[in-house]
């Protein structure tokens, strides 16, 4: 269940989530995305990265092609969000 505080969001919000995450599971990320997208007055962006675990953007095996690609993509998404 999405906490009430998320439903009261008033600022642009971007969430980059991992497919395998026991702290913030993908189903919660999807619920959050639905709650945020229902608020047309604020911009939001929610993306779930397949095949990665919590912390994948900073703690990944540089020899794992999928991990490197996901980290680079998330870094690009984050920078584009801030530029926007």
């Amino acid at each position: 269940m999405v906490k009430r505080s998320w439903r009261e969001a008033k600022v642009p919000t971007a969430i980059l989530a991992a497919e395998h995450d026991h702290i913030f599971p993908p189903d919660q990320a999807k619920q959050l995305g639905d709650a945020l997208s229902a608020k047309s007055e604020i911009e939001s962006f929610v993306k779930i990265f397949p095949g990665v675990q919590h912390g994948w953007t900073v703690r990944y095996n540089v020899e794992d092609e999928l991990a490197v690609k996901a980290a680079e993509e998330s870094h690009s998404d984050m920078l584009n969000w801030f530029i926007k």
Side-chain angles (χ1 to χ4, degrees):
M1 179 175 175
V2 175
K3 293 183 180 182
R4 181 182 183 106
S5 61
W6 285 109
R7 286 188 238 129
E8 296 172 2
K10 296 178 182 170
V11 297
T13 304
I15 304 292
L16 303 175
E19 178 184 25
H20 306 289
D21 190 337
H22 66 282
I23 296 170
F24 187 58
D27 61 325
Q28 287 183 355
K30 289 176 188 173
Q31 288 177 6
L32 174 56
D34 292 343
L36 290 171
S37 66
K39 298 182 67 70
S40 60
E41 68 275 14
I42 63 168
E43 289 192 58
S44 63
F45 176 70
V46 177
K47 185 173 181 179
I48 299 170
F49 285 78
V52 297
Q53 296 184 28
H54 182 89
W56 89 98
T57 62
V58 293
R59 298 185 319 247
Y60 59 90
N61 180 351
V62 296
E63 296 178 9
D64 180 338
E65 189 175 318
L66 173 66
V68 171
K69 182 179 181 221
E72 288 175 348
E73 184 177 338
S74 70
H75 295 159
S76 177
D77 289 343
M78 180 177 51
L79 288 172
N80 288 330
W81 176 259
F82 286 130
I83 290 168
K84 183 178 173 181

